Amino acid sequence: MLFAIRLSKLLLQVASSRASDHAVIRPQTLPLFTNLFAITFFIFAVYFIFQAWHIDMTAWLASAGIIGIAVGFAAKDTLANLFSGVFIMADTPYKIGDYIVLDDGTGLRGKVTSIGIRSTRLLTRDDVEVTIPNAIMGNSKVVNESGGPYPKYRIRVAVGVAYGVDIDKVKSILLTIAEENEAVCHDPEPRVRFRTFGASSLDFELLCWVDNPELRGRVVDMLNSTIYKLFLQEGVEIPYSKQDLYIKEFPGQTD
């Protein structure tokens, strides 16, 4: 048994060191498989020892089955979290350091700080750590903002200008603002799209990338501030809701 446990541990370590990003056995899942193999070999060793001593294990197995059913009903939530934790570690939809958004109606967004067997911990932008059971993580849609071929994140800044404004001038201003911002990536390069003719404005969208999703709020604030200041300097009108009041007639005056 000890030889089998040590040999399996050695083989798992070699497999994890040579594993690709999408392999089942990776450094993140190595402790899980090491423990599973050790428990399996221990159970087989105990079974063969009882067989060598000619001890009938039928009654023991029946009792273990009944106890297992009782424990399963009593701790179904805990077991659901444990199995979900195993599947999360094996499938790795996210990893420690990723920014994820939990699409369960709350829109919770944060950085993954810990992935355990029972729960996953997120650090929100308010510096509040939230512990989420793995059963909820496994049954919810999770948007991994750090996933994909690289960790860069695209931000969108919507801008509306008044009708009659030179659209080429607007595009040039927006591109200049994005290119001069040090937090904006130059690869992929920023771009501007003229989206639609609005009810009272021409709607543009500035698309640019940042190195990390954590920078999204800060960069959007800087871009919005610079856009507003530069539009004022260049005389580009930003429309806003207006209401005109027409008085049909004045009421008669009394003494």
PDB file of all heavy atoms in Angstrom, residues 161-193:
ATOM      1  N   VAL A 161     -22.905  63.526 -29.010  1.00  0.00           N
ATOM      2  CA  VAL A 161     -22.651  64.913 -29.396  1.00  0.00           C
ATOM      3  C   VAL A 161     -23.875  65.421 -30.155  1.00  0.00           C
ATOM      4  O   VAL A 161     -24.702  64.651 -30.660  1.00  0.00           O
ATOM      5  CB  VAL A 161     -21.391  65.031 -30.281  1.00  0.00           C
ATOM      6  CG1 VAL A 161     -20.165  64.559 -29.521  1.00  0.00           C
ATOM      7  CG2 VAL A 161     -21.548  64.243 -31.574  1.00  0.00           C
ATOM      8  N   ALA A 162     -23.976  66.741 -30.232  1.00  0.00           N
ATOM      9  CA  ALA A 162     -25.148  67.357 -30.853  1.00  0.00           C
ATOM     10  C   ALA A 162     -25.101  67.195 -32.373  1.00  0.00           C
ATOM     11  O   ALA A 162     -24.032  67.052 -32.975  1.00  0.00           O
ATOM     12  CB  ALA A 162     -25.225  68.833 -30.471  1.00  0.00           C
ATOM     13  N   TYR A 163     -26.277  67.206 -32.987  1.00  0.00           N
ATOM     14  CA  TYR A 163     -26.365  67.187 -34.441  1.00  0.00           C
ATOM     15  C   TYR A 163     -25.714  68.449 -35.015  1.00  0.00           C
ATOM     16  O   TYR A 163     -25.846  69.544 -34.463  1.00  0.00           O
ATOM     17  CB  TYR A 163     -27.825  67.107 -34.878  1.00  0.00           C
ATOM     18  CG  TYR A 163     -28.389  65.704 -34.831  1.00  0.00           C
ATOM     19  CD1 TYR A 163     -28.988  65.213 -33.668  1.00  0.00           C
ATOM     20  CD2 TYR A 163     -28.325  64.881 -35.941  1.00  0.00           C
ATOM     21  CE1 TYR A 163     -29.500  63.931 -33.631  1.00  0.00           C
ATOM     22  CE2 TYR A 163     -28.841  63.595 -35.921  1.00  0.00           C
ATOM     23  CZ  TYR A 163     -29.430  63.110 -34.765  1.00  0.00           C
ATOM     24  OH  TYR A 163     -29.935  61.840 -34.720  1.00  0.00           O
ATOM     25  N   GLY A 164     -25.003  68.287 -36.119  1.00  0.00           N
ATOM     26  CA  GLY A 164     -24.313  69.400 -36.747  1.00  0.00           C
ATOM     27  C   GLY A 164     -22.839  69.455 -36.424  1.00  0.00           C
ATOM     28  O   GLY A 164     -22.096  70.213 -37.056  1.00  0.00           O
ATOM     29  N   VAL A 165     -22.384  68.670 -35.461  1.00  0.00           N
ATOM     30  CA  VAL A 165     -20.961  68.647 -35.104  1.00  0.00           C
ATOM     31  C   VAL A 165     -20.202  67.820 -36.141  1.00  0.00           C
ATOM     32  O   VAL A 165     -20.712  66.830 -36.676  1.00  0.00           O
ATOM     33  CB  VAL A 165     -20.786  68.058 -33.685  1.00  0.00           C
ATOM     34  CG1 VAL A 165     -19.312  67.908 -33.348  1.00  0.00           C
ATOM     35  CG2 VAL A 165     -21.466  68.947 -32.667  1.00  0.00           C
ATOM     36  N   ASP A 166     -18.965  68.225 -36.413  1.00  0.00           N
ATOM     37  CA  ASP A 166     -18.113  67.503 -37.355  1.00  0.00           C
ATOM     38  C   ASP A 166     -17.733  66.146 -36.751  1.00  0.00           C
ATOM     39  O   ASP A 166     -17.015  66.072 -35.759  1.00  0.00           O
ATOM     40  CB  ASP A 166     -16.856  68.319 -37.643  1.00  0.00           C
ATOM     41  CG  ASP A 166     -15.992  67.695 -38.738  1.00  0.00           C
ATOM     42  OD1 ASP A 166     -16.336  66.601 -39.225  1.00  0.00           O
ATOM     43  OD2 ASP A 166     -14.968  68.299 -39.085  1.00  0.00           O
ATOM     44  N   ILE A 167     -18.220  65.070 -37.359  1.00  0.00           N
ATOM     45  CA  ILE A 167     -17.988  63.744 -36.773  1.00  0.00           C
ATOM     46  C   ILE A 167     -16.517  63.333 -36.904  1.00  0.00           C
ATOM     47  O   ILE A 167     -15.992  62.608 -36.041  1.00  0.00           O
ATOM     48  CB  ILE A 167     -18.906  62.690 -37.418  1.00  0.00           C
ATOM     49  CG1 ILE A 167     -18.649  62.575 -38.915  1.00  0.00           C
ATOM     50  CG2 ILE A 167     -20.372  63.014 -37.146  1.00  0.00           C
ATOM     51  CD1 ILE A 167     -19.427  61.436 -39.566  1.00  0.00           C
ATOM     52  N   ASP A 168     -15.839  63.773 -37.943  1.00  0.00           N
ATOM     53  CA  ASP A 168     -14.413  63.448 -38.069  1.00  0.00           C
ATOM     54  C   ASP A 168     -13.607  64.100 -36.948  1.00  0.00           C
ATOM     55  O   ASP A 168     -12.642  63.516 -36.440  1.00  0.00           O
ATOM     56  CB  ASP A 168     -13.884  63.910 -39.422  1.00  0.00           C
ATOM     57  CG  ASP A 168     -14.502  63.128 -40.577  1.00  0.00           C
ATOM     58  OD1 ASP A 168     -14.822  61.932 -40.376  1.00  0.00           O
ATOM     59  OD2 ASP A 168     -14.674  63.710 -41.666  1.00  0.00           O
ATOM     60  N   LYS A 169     -13.996  65.306 -36.577  1.00  0.00           N
ATOM     61  CA  LYS A 169     -13.322  65.991 -35.475  1.00  0.00           C
ATOM     62  C   LYS A 169     -13.563  65.244 -34.158  1.00  0.00           C
ATOM     63  O   LYS A 169     -12.641  65.094 -33.350  1.00  0.00           O
ATOM     64  CB  LYS A 169     -13.838  67.426 -35.373  1.00  0.00           C
ATOM     65  CG  LYS A 169     -13.209  68.235 -34.267  1.00  0.00           C
ATOM     66  CD  LYS A 169     -13.758  69.659 -34.245  1.00  0.00           C
ATOM     67  CE  LYS A 169     -13.125  70.467 -33.129  1.00  0.00           C
ATOM     68  NZ  LYS A 169     -13.667  71.859 -33.092  1.00  0.00           N
ATOM     69  N   VAL A 170     -14.788  64.764 -33.953  1.00  0.00           N
ATOM     70  CA  VAL A 170     -15.100  64.018 -32.739  1.00  0.00           C
ATOM     71  C   VAL A 170     -14.270  62.744 -32.663  1.00  0.00           C
ATOM     72  O   VAL A 170     -13.689  62.404 -31.620  1.00  0.00           O
ATOM     73  CB  VAL A 170     -16.606  63.700 -32.678  1.00  0.00           C
ATOM     74  CG1 VAL A 170     -16.912  62.786 -31.500  1.00  0.00           C
ATOM     75  CG2 VAL A 170     -17.417  64.976 -32.585  1.00  0.00           C
ATOM     76  N   LYS A 171     -14.173  62.010 -33.757  1.00  0.00           N
ATOM     77  CA  LYS A 171     -13.378  60.782 -33.767  1.00  0.00           C
ATOM     78  C   LYS A 171     -11.914  61.067 -33.485  1.00  0.00           C
ATOM     79  O   LYS A 171     -11.254  60.331 -32.745  1.00  0.00           O
ATOM     80  CB  LYS A 171     -13.527  60.080 -35.123  1.00  0.00           C
ATOM     81  CG  LYS A 171     -14.894  59.479 -35.375  1.00  0.00           C
ATOM     82  CD  LYS A 171     -14.918  58.740 -36.712  1.00  0.00           C
ATOM     83  CE  LYS A 171     -16.267  58.076 -36.949  1.00  0.00           C
ATOM     84  NZ  LYS A 171     -16.297  57.319 -38.228  1.00  0.00           N
ATOM     85  N   SER A 172     -11.394  62.154 -34.083  1.00  0.00           N
ATOM     86  CA  SER A 172      -9.984  62.506 -33.871  1.00  0.00           C
ATOM     87  C   SER A 172      -9.725  62.855 -32.405  1.00  0.00           C
ATOM     88  O   SER A 172      -8.706  62.441 -31.827  1.00  0.00           O
ATOM     89  CB  SER A 172      -9.607  63.675 -34.775  1.00  0.00           C
ATOM     90  OG  SER A 172      -8.286  64.093 -34.528  1.00  0.00           O
ATOM     91  N   ILE A 173     -10.627  63.583 -31.783  1.00  0.00           N
ATOM     92  CA  ILE A 173     -10.458  63.958 -30.371  1.00  0.00           C
ATOM     93  C   ILE A 173     -10.472  62.721 -29.482  1.00  0.00           C
ATOM     94  O   ILE A 173      -9.626  62.552 -28.589  1.00  0.00           O
ATOM     95  CB  ILE A 173     -11.550  64.953 -29.954  1.00  0.00           C
ATOM     96  CG1 ILE A 173     -11.378  66.291 -30.680  1.00  0.00           C
ATOM     97  CG2 ILE A 173     -11.533  65.164 -28.439  1.00  0.00           C
ATOM     98  CD1 ILE A 173     -12.492  67.286 -30.414  1.00  0.00           C
ATOM     99  N   LEU A 174     -11.429  61.844 -29.726  1.00  0.00           N
ATOM    100  CA  LEU A 174     -11.536  60.646 -28.886  1.00  0.00           C
ATOM    101  C   LEU A 174     -10.313  59.744 -29.038  1.00  0.00           C
ATOM    102  O   LEU A 174      -9.795  59.212 -28.037  1.00  0.00           O
ATOM    103  CB  LEU A 174     -12.807  59.878 -29.244  1.00  0.00           C
ATOM    104  CG  LEU A 174     -14.131  60.587 -28.931  1.00  0.00           C
ATOM    105  CD1 LEU A 174     -15.314  59.737 -29.391  1.00  0.00           C
ATOM    106  CD2 LEU A 174     -14.255  60.881 -27.440  1.00  0.00           C
ATOM    107  N   LEU A 175      -9.828  59.572 -30.253  1.00  0.00           N
ATOM    108  CA  LEU A 175      -8.633  58.746 -30.451  1.00  0.00           C
ATOM    109  C   LEU A 175      -7.409  59.372 -29.806  1.00  0.00           C
ATOM    110  O   LEU A 175      -6.576  58.675 -29.215  1.00  0.00           O
ATOM    111  CB  LEU A 175      -8.393  58.536 -31.952  1.00  0.00           C
ATOM    112  CG  LEU A 175      -9.322  57.548 -32.654  1.00  0.00           C
ATOM    113  CD1 LEU A 175      -9.023  57.513 -34.146  1.00  0.00           C
ATOM    114  CD2 LEU A 175      -9.179  56.155 -32.055  1.00  0.00           C
ATOM    115  N   THR A 176      -7.291  60.688 -29.896  1.00  0.00           N
ATOM    116  CA  THR A 176      -6.150  61.366 -29.269  1.00  0.00           C
ATOM    117  C   THR A 176      -6.168  61.196 -27.765  1.00  0.00           C
ATOM    118  O   THR A 176      -5.128  60.953 -27.134  1.00  0.00           O
ATOM    119  CB  THR A 176      -6.172  62.862 -29.644  1.00  0.00           C
ATOM    120  OG1 THR A 176      -6.119  63.003 -31.064  1.00  0.00           O
ATOM    121  CG2 THR A 176      -4.992  63.588 -29.015  1.00  0.00           C
ATOM    122  N   ILE A 177      -7.340  61.305 -27.171  1.00  0.00           N
ATOM    123  CA  ILE A 177      -7.462  61.145 -25.718  1.00  0.00           C
ATOM    124  C   ILE A 177      -7.046  59.733 -25.300  1.00  0.00           C
ATOM    125  O   ILE A 177      -6.312  59.548 -24.314  1.00  0.00           O
ATOM    126  CB  ILE A 177      -8.911  61.444 -25.278  1.00  0.00           C
ATOM    127  CG1 ILE A 177      -9.227  62.923 -25.460  1.00  0.00           C
ATOM    128  CG2 ILE A 177      -9.131  61.024 -23.831  1.00  0.00           C
ATOM    129  CD1 ILE A 177     -10.678  63.273 -25.199  1.00  0.00           C
ATOM    130  N   ALA A 178      -7.503  58.718 -26.038  1.00  0.00           N
ATOM    131  CA  ALA A 178      -7.168  57.338 -25.689  1.00  0.00           C
ATOM    132  C   ALA A 178      -5.682  57.054 -25.888  1.00  0.00           C
ATOM    133  O   ALA A 178      -5.053  56.375 -25.065  1.00  0.00           O
ATOM    134  CB  ALA A 178      -8.010  56.376 -26.520  1.00  0.00           C
ATOM    135  N   GLU A 179      -5.096  57.578 -26.973  1.00  0.00           N
ATOM    136  CA  GLU A 179      -3.690  57.303 -27.253  1.00  0.00           C
ATOM    137  C   GLU A 179      -2.757  57.994 -26.270  1.00  0.00           C
ATOM    138  O   GLU A 179      -1.662  57.497 -26.002  1.00  0.00           O
ATOM    139  CB  GLU A 179      -3.360  57.733 -28.684  1.00  0.00           C
ATOM    140  CG  GLU A 179      -4.039  56.872 -29.743  1.00  0.00           C
ATOM    141  CD  GLU A 179      -3.891  57.440 -31.135  1.00  0.00           C
ATOM    142  OE1 GLU A 179      -3.360  58.580 -31.244  1.00  0.00           O
ATOM    143  OE2 GLU A 179      -4.305  56.774 -32.104  1.00  0.00           O
ATOM    144  N   GLU A 180      -3.167  59.133 -25.724  1.00  0.00           N
ATOM    145  CA  GLU A 180      -2.309  59.862 -24.792  1.00  0.00           C
ATOM    146  C   GLU A 180      -2.473  59.388 -23.349  1.00  0.00           C
ATOM    147  O   GLU A 180      -1.712  59.822 -22.477  1.00  0.00           O
ATOM    148  CB  GLU A 180      -2.614  61.363 -24.871  1.00  0.00           C
ATOM    149  CG  GLU A 180      -2.210  61.984 -26.200  1.00  0.00           C
ATOM    150  CD  GLU A 180      -2.527  63.468 -26.256  1.00  0.00           C
ATOM    151  OE1 GLU A 180      -3.183  63.961 -25.292  1.00  0.00           O
ATOM    152  OE2 GLU A 180      -2.132  64.130 -27.239  1.00  0.00           O
ATOM    153  N   ASN A 181      -3.440  58.520 -23.088  1.00  0.00           N
ATOM    154  CA  ASN A 181      -3.631  57.999 -21.738  1.00  0.00           C
ATOM    155  C   ASN A 181      -2.671  56.830 -21.519  1.00  0.00           C
ATOM    156  O   ASN A 181      -2.684  55.848 -22.266  1.00  0.00           O
ATOM    157  CB  ASN A 181      -5.085  57.540 -21.552  1.00  0.00           C
ATOM    158  CG  ASN A 181      -5.421  57.275 -20.092  1.00  0.00           C
ATOM    159  OD1 ASN A 181      -4.749  56.514 -19.425  1.00  0.00           O
ATOM    160  ND2 ASN A 181      -6.478  57.916 -19.606  1.00  0.00           N
ATOM    161  N   GLU A 182      -1.835  56.913 -20.496  1.00  0.00           N
ATOM    162  CA  GLU A 182      -0.819  55.894 -20.256  1.00  0.00           C
ATOM    163  C   GLU A 182      -1.404  54.560 -19.820  1.00  0.00           C
ATOM    164  O   GLU A 182      -0.761  53.514 -19.996  1.00  0.00           O
ATOM    165  CB  GLU A 182       0.171  56.386 -19.190  1.00  0.00           C
ATOM    166  CG  GLU A 182       0.952  57.630 -19.598  1.00  0.00           C
ATOM    167  CD  GLU A 182       1.915  58.081 -18.522  1.00  0.00           C
ATOM    168  OE1 GLU A 182       1.889  57.467 -17.422  1.00  0.00           O
ATOM    169  OE2 GLU A 182       2.690  59.023 -18.771  1.00  0.00           O
ATOM    170  N   ALA A 183      -2.602  54.576 -19.243  1.00  0.00           N
ATOM    171  CA  ALA A 183      -3.205  53.326 -18.780  1.00  0.00           C
ATOM    172  C   ALA A 183      -3.872  52.542 -19.896  1.00  0.00           C
ATOM    173  O   ALA A 183      -4.243  51.385 -19.698  1.00  0.00           O
ATOM    174  CB  ALA A 183      -4.225  53.611 -17.677  1.00  0.00           C
ATOM    175  N   VAL A 184      -4.031  53.143 -21.073  1.00  0.00           N
ATOM    176  CA  VAL A 184      -4.680  52.483 -22.202  1.00  0.00           C
ATOM    177  C   VAL A 184      -3.627  51.757 -23.028  1.00  0.00           C
ATOM    178  O   VAL A 184      -2.558  52.308 -23.324  1.00  0.00           O
ATOM    179  CB  VAL A 184      -5.439  53.510 -23.071  1.00  0.00           C
ATOM    180  CG1 VAL A 184      -5.988  52.851 -24.328  1.00  0.00           C
ATOM    181  CG2 VAL A 184      -6.557  54.144 -22.268  1.00  0.00           C
ATOM    182  N   CYS A 185      -3.929  50.518 -23.408  1.00  0.00           N
ATOM    183  CA  CYS A 185      -2.995  49.721 -24.202  1.00  0.00           C
ATOM    184  C   CYS A 185      -2.949  50.225 -25.642  1.00  0.00           C
ATOM    185  O   CYS A 185      -3.951  50.694 -26.180  1.00  0.00           O
ATOM    186  CB  CYS A 185      -3.429  48.248 -24.195  1.00  0.00           C
ATOM    187  SG  CYS A 185      -3.448  47.482 -22.566  1.00  0.00           S
ATOM    188  N   HIS A 186      -1.772  50.127 -26.245  1.00  0.00           N
ATOM    189  CA  HIS A 186      -1.614  50.493 -27.651  1.00  0.00           C
ATOM    190  C   HIS A 186      -1.777  49.284 -28.576  1.00  0.00           C
ATOM    191  O   HIS A 186      -1.815  49.443 -29.796  1.00  0.00           O
ATOM    192  CB  HIS A 186      -0.248  51.146 -27.869  1.00  0.00           C
ATOM    193  CG  HIS A 186      -0.080  52.430 -27.114  1.00  0.00           C
ATOM    194  ND1 HIS A 186      -0.727  53.599 -27.474  1.00  0.00           N
ATOM    195  CD2 HIS A 186       0.632  52.729 -25.995  1.00  0.00           C
ATOM    196  CE1 HIS A 186      -0.414  54.570 -26.630  1.00  0.00           C
ATOM    197  NE2 HIS A 186       0.415  54.068 -25.720  1.00  0.00           N
ATOM    198  N   ASP A 187      -1.809  48.089 -27.991  1.00  0.00           N
ATOM    199  CA  ASP A 187      -2.026  46.875 -28.764  1.00  0.00           C
ATOM    200  C   ASP A 187      -2.983  45.972 -27.988  1.00  0.00           C
ATOM    201  O   ASP A 187      -2.596  45.462 -26.922  1.00  0.00           O
ATOM    202  CB  ASP A 187      -0.706  46.151 -29.015  1.00  0.00           C
ATOM    203  CG  ASP A 187      -0.880  44.923 -29.901  1.00  0.00           C
ATOM    204  OD1 ASP A 187      -1.869  44.885 -30.663  1.00  0.00           O
ATOM    205  OD2 ASP A 187      -0.037  44.005 -29.808  1.00  0.00           O
ATOM    206  N   PRO A 188      -4.211  45.796 -28.438  1.00  0.00           N
ATOM    207  CA  PRO A 188      -4.837  46.361 -29.640  1.00  0.00           C
ATOM    208  C   PRO A 188      -5.011  47.881 -29.516  1.00  0.00           C
ATOM    209  O   PRO A 188      -5.153  48.407 -28.412  1.00  0.00           O
ATOM    210  CB  PRO A 188      -6.195  45.662 -29.694  1.00  0.00           C
ATOM    211  CG  PRO A 188      -6.078  44.467 -28.808  1.00  0.00           C
ATOM    212  CD  PRO A 188      -5.118  44.861 -27.737  1.00  0.00           C
ATOM    213  N   GLU A 189      -5.003  48.542 -30.642  1.00  0.00           N
ATOM    214  CA  GLU A 189      -5.077  49.996 -30.649  1.00  0.00           C
ATOM    215  C   GLU A 189      -6.508  50.465 -30.391  1.00  0.00           C
ATOM    216  O   GLU A 189      -7.478  49.760 -30.700  1.00  0.00           O
ATOM    217  CB  GLU A 189      -4.586  50.542 -31.991  1.00  0.00           C
ATOM    218  CG  GLU A 189      -5.393  50.075 -33.177  1.00  0.00           C
ATOM    219  CD  GLU A 189      -4.832  50.569 -34.491  1.00  0.00           C
ATOM    220  OE1 GLU A 189      -3.713  51.121 -34.483  1.00  0.00           O
ATOM    221  OE2 GLU A 189      -5.516  50.404 -35.522  1.00  0.00           O
ATOM    222  N   PRO A 190      -6.661  51.657 -29.795  1.00  0.00           N
ATOM    223  CA  PRO A 190      -8.014  52.196 -29.562  1.00  0.00           C
ATOM    224  C   PRO A 190      -8.742  52.462 -30.863  1.00  0.00           C
ATOM    225  O   PRO A 190      -8.117  52.684 -31.915  1.00  0.00           O
ATOM    226  CB  PRO A 190      -7.748  53.494 -28.785  1.00  0.00           C
ATOM    227  CG  PRO A 190      -6.355  53.374 -28.275  1.00  0.00           C
ATOM    228  CD  PRO A 190      -5.608  52.535 -29.257  1.00  0.00           C
ATOM    229  N   ARG A 191     -10.054  52.465 -30.785  1.00  0.00           N
ATOM    230  CA  ARG A 191     -10.862  52.735 -31.967  1.00  0.00           C
ATOM    231  C   ARG A 191     -12.157  53.420 -31.566  1.00  0.00           C
ATOM    232  O   ARG A 191     -12.588  53.313 -30.414  1.00  0.00           O
ATOM    233  CB  ARG A 191     -11.149  51.447 -32.730  1.00  0.00           C
ATOM    234  CG  ARG A 191     -11.914  50.421 -31.920  1.00  0.00           C
ATOM    235  CD  ARG A 191     -11.770  49.039 -32.519  1.00  0.00           C
ATOM    236  NE  ARG A 191     -10.408  48.550 -32.410  1.00  0.00           N
ATOM    237  CZ  ARG A 191     -10.016  47.338 -32.793  1.00  0.00           C
ATOM    238  NH1 ARG A 191     -10.894  46.522 -33.342  1.00  0.00           N
ATOM    239  NH2 ARG A 191      -8.771  46.950 -32.657  1.00  0.00           N
ATOM    240  N   VAL A 192     -12.753  54.124 -32.512  1.00  0.00           N
ATOM    241  CA  VAL A 192     -14.004  54.853 -32.276  1.00  0.00           C
ATOM    242  C   VAL A 192     -15.036  54.354 -33.271  1.00  0.00           C
ATOM    243  O   VAL A 192     -14.743  54.182 -34.454  1.00  0.00           O
ATOM    244  CB  VAL A 192     -13.797  56.378 -32.417  1.00  0.00           C
ATOM    245  CG1 VAL A 192     -15.123  57.112 -32.201  1.00  0.00           C
ATOM    246  CG2 VAL A 192     -12.761  56.872 -31.423  1.00  0.00           C
ATOM    247  N   ARG A 193     -16.241  54.149 -32.780  1.00  0.00           N
ATOM    248  CA  ARG A 193     -17.333  53.705 -33.632  1.00  0.00           C
ATOM    249  C   ARG A 193     -18.506  54.673 -33.521  1.00  0.00           C
ATOM    250  O   ARG A 193     -18.902  55.068 -32.422  1.00  0.00           O
ATOM    251  CB  ARG A 193     -17.792  52.303 -33.228  1.00  0.00           C
ATOM    252  CG  ARG A 193     -16.759  51.218 -33.457  1.00  0.00           C
ATOM    253  CD  ARG A 193     -16.552  50.975 -34.933  1.00  0.00           C
ATOM    254  NE  ARG A 193     -15.580  49.908 -35.187  1.00  0.00           N
ATOM    255  CZ  ARG A 193     -14.306  50.100 -35.434  1.00  0.00           C
ATOM    256  NH1 ARG A 193     -13.827  51.350 -35.452  1.00  0.00           N
ATOM    257  NH2 ARG A 193     -13.492  49.084 -35.676  1.00  0.00           N
TER     258      ARG A 193
END
